[in-house]
Amino acid sequence: MGMTEAILLTIATAATPLLIAAIGELVVERSGVLNLGVEGMMVMGAVGGFVVASLTGNPWIGVLAAIALGVLTSLLFAFLTISLAANQVATGLSLTILGLGASSLMGEKFVGQAGKKLGNLDLPVLSDIPLIGPLIFGQDPIFYISIALVIGVSWFLFRTRAGLTLRSIGNNHHSAHALGIPVLRYRYLAVMFGGACAGLAGGHLSLVYTPQWVENMTAGRGWIALALVVFASWRPARVLAGAYLFGAVSIGQLHAQALGIAVPSQLLTALPFLATIVVLVLISQNVRATLINTPAMLGRPFVPDR
Amino acid sequence: MKKLLIGLAGVAAMSLGMAASAMAEDPMKVCFVYVGSKTDGGWTQAHDIGRQELQAHFGDKIETPYIENVAEGPQAEGVIERFARSGCELIFTTSFGFMDQTMAVAERFPDVKFEHATGYKTAENVTSYNSRFYQGRYILGQIAASVSEKGVAGYIASFPIPEVVQGINAFVLGAQSVDPDFKLKVVWVNTWFDAGKEADAAKALIDQGVDILTQHTDSTAPMQVAAERGIKAFGQASDMIAAGPETQLTAIVDTWGAYYIKRVQDVMDGTWESQSTWDGLAEGILEMAPYTNMPEDVKAMAEATEAAIISGELKPFTGPVKKQDGTVWLEEGEVAEDGELLGLGFYVEGVDDKLPQ
């Protein structure tokens, strides 16, 4: 395996959890809900995936558990912010803190244990083609799920009636409600989808990326995913580009260092966030484009008047 | 018989204590501030094992409360202060980044004694204690240069502080003592603990052709990656053999227990004094994990070096040593002074990296 393939594979592994978590949060935010608890749901997914995989010995059941735990955590958020119309920012932040605490409690007995790794795809002949073989036919299964998710979400949001409805709720929940659309039900489903994605992203961390459980192992990746959604101005394809750009920057800087090229690594660590700020400044220049893509109701609770 | 003696001694000590003052009835509170989780498999776990040994040694004569996951920087001050207020007589703050916060709280609580790990500041009631990790890293360097086929090792580094720079330099000097052309690639990850990032750094280094990996970060992820890719690696702070049974050559294991017991005894005896302790392999504050996965002759060499360091015959930072820019740092036979090592901010010749400022 050549160096180029090796680097590209590492980038794909680094980008996949960011991409999955961000694509889930994109759907949530398109419905007008801002869930800052991505980090918390992700870390719950990571611990759930690891614990169940090591108890059952089957990493695939671990993946399902990761998704289930992400959904469960998100339901707590959904109940508080959608049913009880609690403040979304405060609830999301506390969801992150809760997730970090609860996950370290759940995983205490499992720290330092050898994990079950989800194997890479290995097709005869195809996986052995130089360069494209390992990249297209030889990755871990969650990589393929992440690509399918981007295509699926893109198709759903912009090519289906339900997607149109979801976006309309995000843009004006009062009008949608007046038209008889069940705003709260849509939002519940969107938040649960976001939770499932964050959980899966966490499962990728503890079952593929580094098959082990350590406290706080998401290490801020949930926040990068949140930044990515804004960076992508709520467009799925741009989330894909952004996640791979962030992955490439973080892996590229490691390689640059190993080659002895003097780059200030502290600066590169901050780069994803700097890029988000720059993009925010740029998109705020174009008011029209901003208005088209930003869900107007983002973060505002909706209480239907009956 | 032994148990009985210990029991009798305990009773005697307790009755003496009661006679001395009413305060001795309450167990003495010895408190610990941790930067990571006590089960991190590395740095903090090593301190927690020391705390458990301390607790076991003194039994119910002491209490050892601890707080995990305290972030370095201003937030730590609140945690340390809370401990000082809650009646802790002796507080161990176990990370470099707690230094200024420890000093600040110590000034406000002159009756409480503080011990800060791996820093360089002291006060009337603040001791600084450290371990000469670099002695172990010199041995790692020798092993790396003997075992490596490609002649280049990868080093995952956390932050450019003197302790880490010492480690890199000692590793290179050890390696050069075996193979003068040995190369070292360094990657800075700017974190003590981020399994994903450490794994990425390990992969990047391996992709660039290193066949030995060593780390100055605390998770076992690099060991796991090394095992997956079939190269050899060294553990850090704790024995990481479980993460790589076929991979770990040895590990630098921090053993703080004996030091903690001694210092608590000093407080009980009223002989505690502020000092600046910097112990090493000889005093048993660090140990080498069993030498595994290497040929017998390499193992014999490592053991000989370890013995020479313990006897004081070998000091890793002994001239002639040149700085990275080619100027002379240590003349032939000159040994680096502790003061200079504690503020070390440059590489020696042979490191393929520019030190971040």
Side-chain angles (χ1 to χ4, degrees):
Chain A
M1 191 163 64
M3 174 99 116
T4 325
E5 290 148 87
I7 294 177
L8 291 175
L9 280 175
T10 322
I11 291 174
T13 312
T16 299
L18 301 177
L19 175 59
I20 297 175
I23 204 81
E25 177 67 12
L26 183 141
V27 173
V28 179
E29 292 190 12
R30 276 285 186 176
S31 81
V33 178
L34 179 66
N35 186 354
L36 294 180
V38 180
E39 179 92 358
M41 300 185 294
M42 205 165 162
V43 78
M44 287 299 276
V47 74
F50 185 87
V51 167
V52 171
S54 62
L55 289 180
T56 60
N58 185 338
W60 278 108
I61 302 179
V63 170
L64 293 180
I67 296 173
L69 228 66
V71 173
L72 263 169
T73 319
S74 74
L75 272 174
L76 181 66
F77 176 86
F79 176 70
L80 289 170
T81 59
I82 301 175
S83 297
L84 304 182
N87 183 299
Q88 293 175 10
V89 171
T91 311
L93 288 174
S94 36
L95 195 71
T96 290
I97 299 167
L98 174 77
L100 290 172
S103 63
S104 57
L105 189 68
M106 286 166 63
E108 206 185 348
K109 297 271 182 299
F110 294 86
V111 176
Q113 288 190 10
K116 282 261 171 273
K117 187 174 172 153
L118 206 57
N120 284 4
L121 197 67
D122 190 11
L123 300 173
V125 190
L126 285 177
S127 299
D128 301 326
I129 305 171
L131 196 61
I132 60 164
L135 287 178
I136 299 180
F137 302 109
Q139 300 226 37
D140 63 88
I142 298 181
F143 163 81
Y144 301 101
I145 299 176
S146 75
I147 302 298
L149 272 172
V150 175
I151 298 168
V153 164
S154 199
W155 171 79
F156 168 78
L157 283 177
F158 302 105
R159 293 281 180 273
T160 69
R161 190 175 180 84
L164 179 67
T165 311
L166 184 91
R167 286 187 289 134
S168 72
I169 292 169
N171 281 328
N172 193 330
H173 46 223
H174 296 295
S175 308
H177 179 65
L179 285 169
I181 295 169
V183 173
L184 300 189
R185 192 187 307 161
Y186 265 90
R187 285 195 168 162
Y188 252 96
L189 289 171
V191 168
M192 284 165 69
F193 178 76
C197 287
L200 178 63
H204 180 270
L205 287 181
S206 66
L207 295 167
V208 176
Y209 206 141
T210 50
Q212 56 173 304
W213 163 253
V214 283
E215 255 179 55
N216 207 349
M217 77 180 294
T218 43
R221 285 183 183 77
W223 296 108
I224 297 185
L226 272 165
L228 264 176
V229 178
V230 183
F231 174 90
S233 53
W234 295 271
R235 310 282 297 191
R238 292 184 200 161
V239 169
L240 178 75
Y244 275 77
L245 181 70
F246 285 14
V249 168
S250 56
I251 301 299
Q253 64 111 343
L254 296 172
H255 276 277
Q257 285 195 52
L259 280 171
I261 300 168
V263 272
S265 56
Q266 296 94 333
L267 179 74
L268 287 165
T269 310
L271 203 68
F273 301 98
L274 288 176
T276 306
I277 294 170
V278 170
V279 168
L280 275 177
V281 170
L282 289 179
I283 60 175
S284 67
Q285 303 293 312
N286 188 339
V287 181
R288 251 187 73 125
T290 314
L291 282 180
I292 289 171
N293 285 318
T294 314
M297 297 291 120
L298 191 59
R300 291 203 214 155
F302 175 65
V303 184
D305 40 348
R306 293 200 174 88
Chain B
M1 188 63 201
K2 204 174 162 197
K3 261 190 188 157
L4 183 69
L5 273 180
I6 293 174
L8 280 176
V11 170
M14 240 149 77
S15 43
L16 270 178
M18 269 183 225
S21 77
M23 259 179 68
E25 282 172 31
D26 292 326
M28 175 181 158
K29 264 176 105 174
V30 182
C31 310
F32 289 80
V33 184
Y34 294 152
V35 69
S37 134
K38 64 173 178 172
T39 49
D40 65 357
W43 176 259
T44 297
Q45 184 164 333
H47 283 284
D48 197 62
I49 290 170
R51 181 191 66 79
Q52 289 168 23
E53 286 170 16
L54 174 70
Q55 183 73 64
H57 182 84
F58 288 104
D60 52 12
K61 280 197 286 178
I62 59 165
E63 271 175 25
T64 55
Y66 55 88
I67 299 185
E68 299 170 86
N69 295 318
V70 178
E72 293 187 326
Q75 310 92 306
E77 192 167 327
V79 175
I80 302 170
E81 180 163 345
R82 203 164 353 128
F83 262 154
R85 271 185 207 292
S86 76
C88 299
E89 285 179 57
L90 181 62
I91 301 175
F92 290 96
T93 53
T94 63
S95 190
F96 178 80
F98 297 152
M99 180 167 62
D100 291 335
Q101 290 70 35
T102 306
M103 297 303 288
V105 179
E107 208 182 320
R108 292 199 293 275
F109 293 87
D111 297 334
V112 181
K113 297 175 177 63
F114 297 83
E115 299 238 357
H116 174 249
T118 69
Y120 50 83
K121 292 186 184 169
T122 56
E124 190 88 330
N125 57 337
V126 183
T127 274
S128 156
Y129 66 105
N130 203 346
S131 167
R132 295 182 189 268
F133 308 110
Y134 68 84
Q135 294 180 338
R137 295 200 182 266
Y138 185 85
I139 304 176
L140 303 192
Q142 283 198 328
I143 298 172
S146 312
V147 175
S148 171
E149 282 166 20
K150 298 184 179 165
V152 51
Y155 204 114
I156 302 169
S158 50
F159 295 100
I161 57 172
E163 181 195 322
V164 178
V165 180
Q166 283 161 23
I168 296 171
N169 285 334
F171 187 91
V172 169
L173 292 176
Q176 286 172 348
S177 75
V178 173
D179 172 6
D181 297 326
F182 196 78
K183 287 270 173 296
L184 182 67
K185 289 179 181 291
V186 184
V187 165
W188 296 90
V189 289
N190 293 306
T191 174
W192 285 112
F193 198 86
D194 177 343
K197 214 166 171 186
E198 292 169 50
D200 286 342
K203 288 178 198 163
L205 284 163
I206 297 170
D207 290 341
Q208 298 227 355
V210 313
D211 62 353
I212 303 280
L213 212 52
T214 187
Q215 60 181 95
H216 204 144
T217 51
D218 298 341
S219 93
T220 52
M223 181 67 72
Q224 230 176 14
V225 172
E228 208 179 293
R229 301 281 189 98
I231 67 160
K232 298 280 187 269
F234 297 106
Q236 139 83 1
S238 293
D239 194 342
M240 294 180 171
I241 192 83
E246 313 280 310
T247 308
Q248 180 177 289
L249 292 161
T250 181
I252 301 172
V253 182
D254 306 345
T255 43
W256 304 102
Y259 177 77
Y260 288 156
I261 291 169
K262 180 175 166 292
R263 296 304 279 171
V264 170
Q265 190 65 51
D266 285 350
V267 173
M268 289 177 166
D269 298 346
T271 55
W272 189 94
E273 271 182 350
S274 165
Q275 61 185 41
S276 191
T277 316
W278 202 12
D279 291 345
L281 282 168
E283 296 84 357
I285 205 164
L286 74 142
E287 284 170 6
M288 304 306 289
Y291 299 106
T292 48
N293 298 314
M294 64 180 87
E296 281 303 317
D297 57 325
V298 179
K299 188 178 165 183
M301 177 201 67
E303 279 165 351
T305 308
E306 189 182 338
I309 291 177
I310 289 175
S311 71
E313 197 182 312
L314 173 70
K315 293 197 162 48
F317 291 109
T318 305
V321 177
K322 281 185 180 169
K323 293 186 187 178
Q324 195 180 29
D325 58 15
T327 58
V328 174
W329 174 32
L330 299 171
E331 300 285 356
E332 176 83 44
E334 187 187 352
V335 178
E337 284 177 26
D338 283 357
E340 190 171 17
L341 288 180
L342 285 170
L344 203 61
F346 55 84
Y347 284 143
V348 297
E349 211 172 30
V351 184
D352 188 13
D353 181 47
K354 189 172 172 292
L355 187 62
Q357 294 303 326

